[in-house]
């Protein structure tokens, strides 16, 4: 990773961790992804944008395998997703072969624009929903 991308990653993730995410998690209809912490075993909730298509929920991670929630998925793919205020259980799958930039065109516009603007290593994630 270049020095510029490393600085960008640190700045964005610090802002997300300490400002944006704590505020977003409190919004009742914010979409949340709940993973299990790979070290702590505790639930970790990440606000994000994505789209439900049938029994699948699609996400594009800005930083690929550097994202904490992606690292948690690698350790345990069982997740929950809160969509429109309702929790759904599912299994997450990392799809490095998927064209993440093309996928962003099918996801919510505002979130996709932010992911494209700050992301440095896009990775598609599909969650197969069970309920």
């Amino acid at each position: 990773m270049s020095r510029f991308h490393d600085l960008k990653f640190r700045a964005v993730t610090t802002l997300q961790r300490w400002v944006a995410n704590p505020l977003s998690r409190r919004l009742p209809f914010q979409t949340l992804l709940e993973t299990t912490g790979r070290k702590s075993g505790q639930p970790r909730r990440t606000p994000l944008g994505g789209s439900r298509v049938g029994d699948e929920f699609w996400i594009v991670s800005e930083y690929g395998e550097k994202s904490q929630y992606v690292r948690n998925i690698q350790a345990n793919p069982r997740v929950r997703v809160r969509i429109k205020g309702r929790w759904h259980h599912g299994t997450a799958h990392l799809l490095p072969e998927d064209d993440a930039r093309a996928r962003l065109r099918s996801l919510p516009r505002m979130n996709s624009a932010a992911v494209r603007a700050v992301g440095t290593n896009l990775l598609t994630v599909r969650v197969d929903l069970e309920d």
Side-chain angles (χ1 to χ4, degrees):
M1 182 181 289
S2 73
R3 181 174 163 84
F4 171 74
H5 285 139
D6 187 49
L7 290 172
K8 183 173 159 181
F9 170 78
R10 288 174 189 241
V12 170
T13 55
T14 298
L15 179 66
Q16 287 173 333
R17 181 176 188 180
W18 299 106
V19 179
N21 289 358
L23 294 173
S24 296
R25 275 193 289 267
R26 296 174 194 254
L27 300 173
F29 286 96
Q30 169 68 49
T31 301
L32 297 176
L33 175 69
E34 184 180 84
T35 59
T36 301
R38 64 194 173 283
K39 295 178 184 175
S40 70
Q42 297 298 308
R44 301 295 182 209
R45 292 182 176 174
T46 305
L48 44 73
S51 187
R52 182 176 184 162
V53 179
D55 290 333
E56 299 172 336
F57 187 78
W58 293 87
I59 308 160
V60 174
S61 168
E62 301 160 320
Y63 298 112
E65 293 182 5
K66 280 189 82 172
S67 294
Q68 297 300 316
Y69 73 86
V70 170
R71 294 171 75 188
N72 289 342
I73 287 169
Q74 288 174 320
N76 180 357
R78 300 289 303 147
V79 300
R80 290 193 322 152
V81 183
R82 187 177 78 182
I83 306 167
K84 297 182 180 177
R86 182 169 176 254
W87 286 101
H88 304 269
H89 293 270
T91 303
H93 304 276
L94 306 180
L95 304 173
E97 69 283 352
D98 191 66
D99 183 347
R101 290 203 176 276
R103 180 71 55 193
L104 282 172
R105 289 192 284 278
S106 69
L107 300 180
R109 241 184 226 156
M110 293 295 286
N111 183 75
S112 294
V115 169
R116 273 192 295 276
V118 301
T120 57
N121 186 25
L122 304 181
L123 174 65
T124 301
V125 179
R126 185 189 75 232
V127 178
D128 295 333
L129 301 172
E130 298 168 2
D131 52 352

